């Protein structure tokens, strides 16, 4: 048996050893310290008779006196007061109080008392003076100002134009300008030839006139004849001397005409001459026989007669000379002609079919033979010429021997002339051949050049022409193509229009079908979401349902908007089911009434206690919910207090009307509102999801109906 | 930083009661133990001091937690139509 005591220095515990087998185990003896009770009692009494100590009393008095002295001193000296104020803040107040500077004693005491009571009451019962929440009446809201702010003018910008220019200028095809130089053909001017004036003769002394006339005629004709004879000689000479190539019908005809003319004129001339002579003789006879005429005229006539005779003679002799020459030339010509004919015959014999009068020598045979023959002939002819020359010389010499001076000189001169001429002819021939060859070459070259130039010019012209023609052609082709294209496009447009119409109707049809199908899936997804809210669990995760809804309503704007309205928190955590909400509402009910007296900002703890007490006492209100309120008549909801609100909320909750219950719970103020916040949020989300699901279901059924 | 307090109002309310009881009991206990440890004889005033301390702590904790919960709410007010 031990008795415990806490104190270290209180060894009241004494352990006694007891011998076993003593027989005295009936009771344990506990011995205390040698100090006895009496001693303690004795000691206690004398302590009581200590004299009353008055230390406290006198200490208090002294302190009061000191304080009073300090106050008086502070009042009298401002320095001290200031010092006190800066170091002991309440000292100044104390001095002011003691000397009644600001208030009287009574007022200050009353004031203090009031302060104390108010603070205590606030502490115990909460601040009742807190004003209710300030809210603006609807009539006081400035809608106009808000509207003006929202619809403030914004600068309107036109969107950028997206039109392509309708009309594009087509390229113009220019007609190529082909310049063909105009070839001017100018004929040479021919002067009109004046006809030969014709002389007319006349009259009497008719013989005279006749004589004049005939003489004149004769003279003229003789002259003409001489002329024609001369021309004949010239022509003949030309024919003989000119090479074979230049022989023309012209010459021959000239020859022939000249000869004819000569003959004619000679005839006329001879006639005229004879007449003239006759006339002259007659006149002469007459004059000699003596005629009646003035002497001047006679003299004149004589003169004329003389002159005429002389003239006639002269003319006749001239003519004769010429005629002789002609005869000689004829002989010569005949000889030459004969030789030529012989040569021609020989050639014909060698080369049959050869046409010498042709310009180009067309040899159908052996050229070498021809050359050989020609060479031989030339040699022979040259020999002959030489022979004749020598013969001539011989003749000349003989003539010289015959002392015929004039003839000698003439012959010699002729001989030398002939020789010189021969040599000159040879030289000339050679040179002319050379020159001809050169000229031919040059001509060929020039021809070639000219030909080339001509070709070029021709090519150019051709090219230009081609271009022009091509241009015309391409233009016409393009025109045609355009026409065709236009008609084709028209047809194509018509067909395209038809196709589009068909496509459109098909699309509409397929859209309708797709819509119908989609509306079914939408409805199913929304139904699933709705069912999720009625599950038996506490919390319903909605991830799969929302995903299904998203998939079903991909193109639907309403579904998308609804889905957008679902907050993130719901997607992650799901919502509370109805069952859970009901349970939580019970809890909420109790809590809300427990803190009914607490305001928005909290309160001191006695107020909490008071409100808890109130909830315990006021647990059921017996007032009924007025019928008007239940029938949704206009009611002033700001007059309801917490208990009323909770009662109504409970009523609606019991009837399953979660929305109404939420509305009432939303009316709570202050601490009950804060207490109900979690429930309110959960209920709100629940209702949102339910509403979303219902909306989508309605939409799905409507759209399903639309496309039936 | 100490863990933020995410309790519901209800939880805090019940925790208040629990807190009071607990702290008072503990206070009493510790008070009496300390008193017994340092004082001679059985004195009851340390016990009361301890109890008082416990009470005071519980009081302040409870008040703060409840008021903090209320003050941490969003200051969104609800507009009520006054006239019927």
């Amino acid at each position: 048996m031990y008795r415990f005591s806490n104190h270290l220095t209180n060894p009241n515990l004494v352990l006694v050893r007891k011998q076993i087998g003593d027989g005295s185990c009936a009771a344990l003896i506990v011995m205390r310290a040698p100090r006895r009770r009496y001693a303690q009692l004795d000691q206690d009494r004398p302590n009581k008779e200590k004299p009353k100590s008055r230390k406290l009393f006198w200490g208090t008095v002294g302190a009061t006196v000191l304080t009073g002295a300090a106050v008086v001193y502070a009042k009298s000296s401002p320095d001290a007061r200031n010092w006190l104020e800066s170091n002991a803040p309440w000292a100044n107040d104390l001095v002011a109080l003691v000397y009644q500077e600001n208030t009287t004693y009574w007022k200050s005491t009353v004031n203090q008392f009031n302060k104390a009571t108010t603070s205590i009451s606030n502490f115990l019962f909460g601040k009742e003076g807190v004003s209710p929440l300030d809210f603006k009446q609807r009539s006081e809201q400035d809608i106009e100002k808000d509207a003006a702010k929202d619809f403030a003018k914004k600068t309107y910008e036109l969107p950028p134009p997206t039109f392509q220019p309708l009309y594009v200028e087509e390229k113009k095809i220019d007609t190529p300008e082909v310049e063909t130089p105009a070839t001017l053909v100018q004929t040479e001017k021919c002067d009109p030839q004046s006809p030969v004036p014709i002389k007319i003769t006349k009259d009497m002394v008719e013989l005279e006139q006749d004589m004049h006339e005939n003489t004149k005629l004769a003279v003229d004709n003789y002259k003409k004849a001489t002329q024609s004879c001369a021309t004949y000689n010239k022509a003949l000479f030309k024919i003989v001397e000119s090479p074979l190539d230049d022989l023309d019908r012209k010459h021959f005809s000239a020859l022939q005409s000249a000869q004819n003319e000569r003959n004619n004129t000679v005839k006329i001339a001879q006639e005229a001459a004879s007449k003239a002579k006759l006339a002259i003789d007659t006149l002469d006879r007459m004059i000699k026989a003596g005629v009646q005429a003035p002497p001047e005229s006679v003299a004149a006539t004589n003169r004329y007669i003389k002159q005429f005779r002389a003239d006639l003679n002269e003319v006749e002799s001239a003519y004769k000379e010429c005629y002789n020459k002609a005869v000689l030339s004829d002989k010569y010509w005949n000889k030459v002609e004969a030789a030529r004919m012989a040569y021609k015959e020989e050639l014909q014999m060698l080369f049959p079919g050869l046409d010498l009068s042709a310009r180009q020598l067309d040899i159908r045979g052996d050229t070498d033979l021809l050359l050989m023959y020609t060479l031989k002939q030339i040699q022979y002819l040259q020999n002959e010429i030489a022979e004749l020359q020598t013969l001539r010389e011989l003749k000349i010499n003989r003539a010289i021997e015959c002392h015929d001076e004039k003839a000698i000189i003439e012959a010699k001169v002729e001989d030398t002339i002939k020789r010189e001429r021969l040599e000159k002819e040879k030289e000339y021939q050679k040179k002319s051949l050379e020159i001809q060859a050169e000229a031919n070459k040059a001509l060929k070259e020039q021809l070639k050049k000219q030909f080339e130039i001509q070709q070029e010019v021709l090519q150019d012209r051709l090219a230009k022409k081609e271009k022009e023609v091509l241009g015309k052609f391409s233009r016409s082709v393009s025109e045609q193509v355009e026409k065709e294209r236009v008609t084709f496009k028209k047809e194509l447009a018509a067909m395209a229009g038809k196709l589009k119409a068909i496509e459109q109707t098909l699309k509409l049809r397929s859209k309708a079908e797709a819509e119908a199908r989609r509306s079914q899936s939408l409805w199913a997804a929304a139904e699933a979401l709705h069912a999720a809210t009625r599950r038996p669990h506490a919390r319903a995760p909605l991830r799969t349902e929302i995903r299904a809804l998203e998939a079903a309503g991909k193109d639907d704007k309403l579904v998308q908007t609804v889905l957008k309205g679902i907050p993130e928190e719901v997607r992650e955590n799901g919502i509370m089911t109805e069952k859970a909400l009901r349970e939580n509402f019970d809890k909420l009910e109790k809590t809300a009434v427990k803190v009914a007296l607490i305001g928005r900002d909290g309160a001191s703890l006695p107020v909490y206690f008071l409100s808890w007490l109130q909830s315990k006492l006021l647990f059921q209100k017996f007032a009924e919910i007025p019928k008007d309120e239940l029938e949704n008549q206009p009611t002033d909801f700001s007059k309801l207090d917490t208990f009323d609100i909770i009662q109504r909320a409970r009523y609606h909750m019991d009837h399953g009307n979660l929305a109404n219950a939420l509305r009432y719970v939303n009316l709570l103020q202050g601490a009950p509102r804060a207490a109900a916040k979690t429930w309110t949020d959960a209920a709100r989300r629940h209702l949102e999801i339910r509403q979303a699901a219902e909306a989508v279901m309605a939409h799905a059924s409507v759209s399903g109906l639309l496309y039936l | 930083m100490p863990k933020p307090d995410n309790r519901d109002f209800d939880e805090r309310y019940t925790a208040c009661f629990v807190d009071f009881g607990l702290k008072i009991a503990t206070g009493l206990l510790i008070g009496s133990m300390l008193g017994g440890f340092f004082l001679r004889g059985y004195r009851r005033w340390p016990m009361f001091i301890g109890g008082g301390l416990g009470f005071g702590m519980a009081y302040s904790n409870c008040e703060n937690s409840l008021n903090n919960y209320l003050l941490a709410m969003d200051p969104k007010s609800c507009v009520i139509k006054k006239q019927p």
Side-chain angles (χ1 to χ4, degrees):
Chain A
M1 258 346 123
Y2 308 114
R3 200 188 97 174
F4 286 113
S5 172
N6 294 6
H7 206 267
L8 286 168
T9 61
N10 204 3
N12 282 336
L13 183 67
V14 172
L15 292 170
V16 176
R17 190 168 297 192
K18 187 183 166 299
Q19 282 179 7
I20 306 168
D22 211 60
S24 63
C25 56
L28 279 168
I29 300 165
V30 175
M31 290 188 67
R32 281 208 220 143
R35 279 180 300 163
R36 286 188 218 165
R37 219 184 249 168
Y38 340 103
Q40 210 171 10
L41 279 170
D42 283 333
Q43 275 178 358
D44 277 333
R45 246 181 257 137
N47 282 338
K48 265 195 181 163
E49 286 178 8
K50 210 167 49 178
K52 208 171 163 186
S53 135
R54 298 242 175 198
K55 255 192 261 178
L56 195 65
F57 174 66
W58 287 117
T60 317
V61 166
T64 315
V65 167
L66 274 172
T67 316
V71 163
V72 169
Y73 177 65
K75 180 73 182 172
S76 62
S77 121
D79 279 344
R81 197 162 174 183
N82 284 337
W83 181 87
L84 261 182
E85 200 174 328
S86 52
N87 287 315
W90 41 265
N92 194 32
D93 293 334
L94 183 65
V95 172
L97 178 65
V98 166
Y99 277 97
Q100 286 192 68
E101 283 171 9
N102 294 329
T103 52
T104 57
Y105 289 134
W106 177 248
K107 265 199 206 149
S108 65
T109 36
V110 165
N111 199 11
Q112 283 300 102
F113 182 70
N114 282 339
K115 266 202 252 176
T117 46
T118 45
S119 69
I120 287 169
S121 70
N122 280 346
F123 171 71
L124 282 178
F125 307 116
K127 300 192 192 94
E128 289 290 334
V130 178
S131 59
L133 297 158
D134 263 337
F135 45 86
K136 253 192 180 177
Q137 291 300 307
R138 189 166 243 168
S139 56
E140 288 169 20
Q141 283 174 4
D142 202 342
I143 298 179
E144 249 73 71
K145 215 202 288 183
D146 292 342
K149 223 194 311 170
D150 279 339
F151 298 135
K153 263 196 198 162
K154 293 178 208 159
T155 51
Y156 179 67
E157 283 173 9
L158 285 171
T162 54
F163 291 132
Q164 303 283 329
L166 268 177
Y167 177 65
V168 178
E169 269 195 43
E170 283 187 358
K171 266 195 285 183
K172 280 193 198 162
I173 305 170
D174 287 322
T175 54
E177 303 221 343
V178 181
E179 279 186 11
T180 49
T183 49
L184 268 174
V185 178
Q186 250 190 351
T187 49
E188 284 161 346
K189 263 197 191 169
C190 294
D191 295 328
Q193 286 186 337
S194 51
V196 179
I198 309 164
K199 250 194 205 165
I200 319 169
T201 53
K202 219 171 53 159
D203 207 83
M204 203 306 305
V205 188
E206 245 188 51
L207 272 177
E208 195 168 344
Q209 291 300 336
D210 197 25
M211 178 187 74
H212 277 281
E213 199 184 295
N214 281 326
T215 317
K216 195 170 237 143
L217 195 64
V219 164
D220 282 336
N221 280 323
Y222 264 117
K223 277 206 179 124
K224 258 194 223 161
T226 320
Q227 238 178 28
S228 57
C229 197
T231 45
Y232 177 76
N233 285 343
K234 269 195 211 146
L236 193 63
F237 191 67
K238 232 192 243 174
I239 287 172
V240 166
E241 289 299 319
S242 68
L244 209 59
D245 290 341
D246 292 343
L247 269 182
D248 246 355
R249 291 233 176 272
K250 192 172 49 180
H251 296 233
F252 277 117
S253 61
L255 197 73
Q256 205 68 18
S257 66
Q259 193 174 20
N260 287 341
E261 208 183 309
R262 183 192 69 186
N263 289 343
N264 290 342
T265 44
V266 156
K267 244 188 240 162
I268 298 169
Q270 276 175 349
E271 273 183 39
S274 65
K275 269 194 211 158
K277 268 188 193 152
L278 199 67
I280 288 169
D281 286 340
T282 328
L283 251 173
D284 199 16
R285 245 184 297 117
M286 277 171 76
I287 287 171
K288 281 192 180 141
V291 80
Q292 306 285 332
E296 317 79 49
S297 60
V298 170
T301 316
N302 279 333
R303 239 192 296 133
Y304 281 138
I305 286 168
K306 264 195 210 146
Q307 196 177 353
F308 290 156
R309 269 194 189 140
D311 281 339
L312 274 172
N313 285 334
E314 199 183 309
V315 157
E316 269 182 23
S317 59
Y319 176 66
K320 264 200 188 113
E321 253 184 64
C322 218
Y323 187 67
N324 289 336
K325 267 197 201 154
V327 166
L328 198 66
S329 304
D330 266 336
K331 271 196 201 155
Y332 175 53
W333 165 243
N334 285 336
K335 274 208 177 113
V336 168
E337 190 65 32
R340 277 194 185 156
M341 286 310 295
Y343 180 60
K344 220 184 216 176
E345 274 178 35
E346 283 177 22
L347 264 180
Q348 286 289 5
M349 269 201 293
L350 277 174
F351 302 100
L354 185 64
D355 191 9
L356 271 175
S357 61
R359 285 248 164 233
Q360 292 272 351
L361 212 52
D362 188 26
I363 300 181
R364 277 183 254 116
D366 203 357
T367 325
D368 291 341
L369 190 58
L370 174 69
L371 283 169
M372 278 281 292
Y373 172 72
T374 320
L375 186 67
K376 266 202 191 135
Q377 195 73 348
I378 288 169
Q379 278 173 354
Y380 169 69
L381 285 170
Q382 276 177 346
N383 287 340
E384 286 276 301
I385 288 169
E387 207 182 304
L388 283 171
Q389 226 172 8
T390 47
L391 270 173
R392 201 173 22 193
E393 273 184 26
L394 205 67
K395 273 191 192 155
I396 286 167
N397 290 334
R398 212 175 288 159
I400 289 170
E401 283 172 16
C402 292
H403 303 294
D404 200 352
E405 284 180 3
K406 196 170 178 198
I408 291 165
I409 291 165
E410 271 189 28
K412 201 102 189 179
V413 163
E414 253 187 63
D415 181 36
T416 45
I417 284 171
K418 281 261 162 57
R419 214 175 289 168
E420 287 298 307
R421 182 188 253 157
L422 205 68
E423 274 173 35
K424 286 288 185 258
E425 285 267 346
K426 271 198 200 136
E427 259 182 61
Y428 168 73
Q429 283 230 350
K430 239 190 263 175
K431 272 201 186 128
S432 80
L433 273 170
E434 276 176 26
I435 288 169
Q436 188 129 28
E438 269 181 46
N440 273 345
K441 227 194 286 179
L443 188 71
K444 273 200 185 120
E445 275 174 37
Q446 285 302 316
L447 270 175
K448 221 188 276 181
K449 264 192 223 162
Q450 282 301 312
F451 181 66
E452 277 169 21
I453 291 170
Q454 190 69 16
Q455 284 288 91
E456 274 177 37
V457 165
L458 204 69
Q459 290 290 351
D460 284 340
R461 280 208 209 139
L462 250 170
K464 277 186 202 149
K465 204 71 191 176
E466 194 180 328
K467 231 195 284 180
E468 184 189 334
V469 164
L470 265 170
K472 269 194 223 158
F473 177 68
S474 61
R475 210 168 345 130
S476 72
V477 160
S478 63
E479 271 176 29
Q480 284 285 34
V481 164
E482 272 307 310
K483 259 193 245 165
E484 285 300 310
R485 200 180 284 163
V486 160
T487 46
F488 181 66
K489 268 190 188 156
K490 268 197 213 146
E491 280 178 27
L492 212 66
M495 271 197 276
K498 276 195 208 138
L499 255 174
K500 269 210 185 91
I502 291 171
E503 210 180 310
Q504 202 81 344
T505 44
L506 267 174
K507 265 196 201 148
L508 275 169
R509 190 95 200 101
S510 78
K511 214 202 280 184
E513 276 184 32
E515 282 288 329
R517 213 155 288 147
R518 205 166 51 76
S519 68
Q520 286 172 1
S521 62
L522 252 183
W523 197 91
E527 176 62 33
L529 191 62
H530 199 264
T533 62
R534 293 193 303 260
R535 281 195 206 142
H537 314 295
R539 226 183 159 77
L542 299 173
R543 225 169 274 150
T544 43
E545 279 86 3
I546 289 178
R547 223 181 309 135
L549 203 61
E550 267 173 17
K554 230 178 283 185
D555 299 318
D556 201 335
K557 257 199 208 145
L558 185 124
V559 176
Q560 291 298 324
T561 322
V562 161
L563 282 170
K564 250 190 258 178
I566 297 176
E568 267 307 307
E569 209 249 355
V570 169
R571 280 175 209 260
E572 275 170 41
N573 298 335
I575 53 163
M576 292 178 88
T577 51
E578 209 165 316
K579 186 166 139 239
L581 278 174
R582 273 184 216 274
E583 287 165 14
N584 282 356
F585 184 76
D586 297 336
K587 235 195 301 176
L588 162 75
E589 204 180 354
K590 290 199 192 87
T591 318
V593 299
K594 263 194 285 192
V595 288
L597 287 178
I598 313 294
R600 178 79 182 71
D601 303 321
S604 54
L605 218 51
V607 186
Y608 275 101
F609 173 71
L610 276 173
S611 86
W612 175 80
L613 202 61
Q614 185 191 45
S615 77
K616 287 287 176 264
L617 296 172
L618 273 177
F619 63 95
Q620 191 178 12
K621 257 204 169 174
F622 291 102
E624 295 277 334
I625 304 171
K627 210 160 139 239
D628 285 346
E629 198 171 322
L630 283 176
E631 281 171 11
N632 224 356
Q633 296 292 318
T635 325
D636 189 7
F637 289 101
S638 58
K639 291 224 170 37
L640 299 171
D641 70 349
T642 313
F643 291 93
D644 294 331
I645 289 169
I646 293 291
Q647 182 195 24
R648 282 158 177 78
R650 202 347 157 235
Y651 173 82
H652 285 293
M653 205 65 190
D654 286 338
H655 288 266
N657 197 342
L658 185 59
N660 268 345
L662 182 60
R663 283 197 201 106
Y664 275 109
V665 167
N666 200 27
L667 290 171
L668 286 171
Q669 303 278 344
R673 187 183 185 78
K677 188 165 178 296
T678 45
W679 186 89
T680 322
D681 289 340
R684 208 171 268 140
R685 266 180 239 118
H686 177 100
L687 277 175
E688 276 172 9
I689 292 293
R690 250 225 307 238
Q691 193 182 53
E694 278 162 12
V696 174
M697 267 200 289
H699 172 74
S701 48
V702 163
S703 43
L705 281 170
L706 261 178
Y707 290 106
L708 255 178
Chain B
M1 177 175 136
K3 202 162 52 156
D5 199 2
N6 289 330
R7 290 180 299 173
D8 198 7
F9 191 78
D10 231 18
E11 292 168 15
R12 289 182 200 220
Y13 204 86
T14 46
C16 247
F17 284 113
V18 171
D19 211 25
F20 260 108
L22 214 61
K23 284 206 166 63
I24 289 172
T26 320
L28 284 172
L29 198 66
I30 292 180
S32 71
M33 272 169 61
L34 276 178
F37 196 70
F38 288 113
L39 286 174
R40 218 172 265 274
Y42 175 63
R43 302 273 183 258
R44 285 192 293 219
W45 54 266
M47 192 175 72
F48 294 132
I49 289 175
L53 271 174
F55 175 82
M57 273 172 27
Y59 182 91
S60 65
N61 273 350
C62 179
E63 186 169 353
N64 284 337
S65 82
L66 288 175
N67 283 345
N68 285 344
Y69 182 86
L70 286 179
L71 287 170
M73 294 288 113
D74 287 335
K76 196 171 161 192
S77 60
C78 115
V79 179
I80 304 174
K81 279 189 271 196
K82 215 172 190 177
Q83 70 277 35

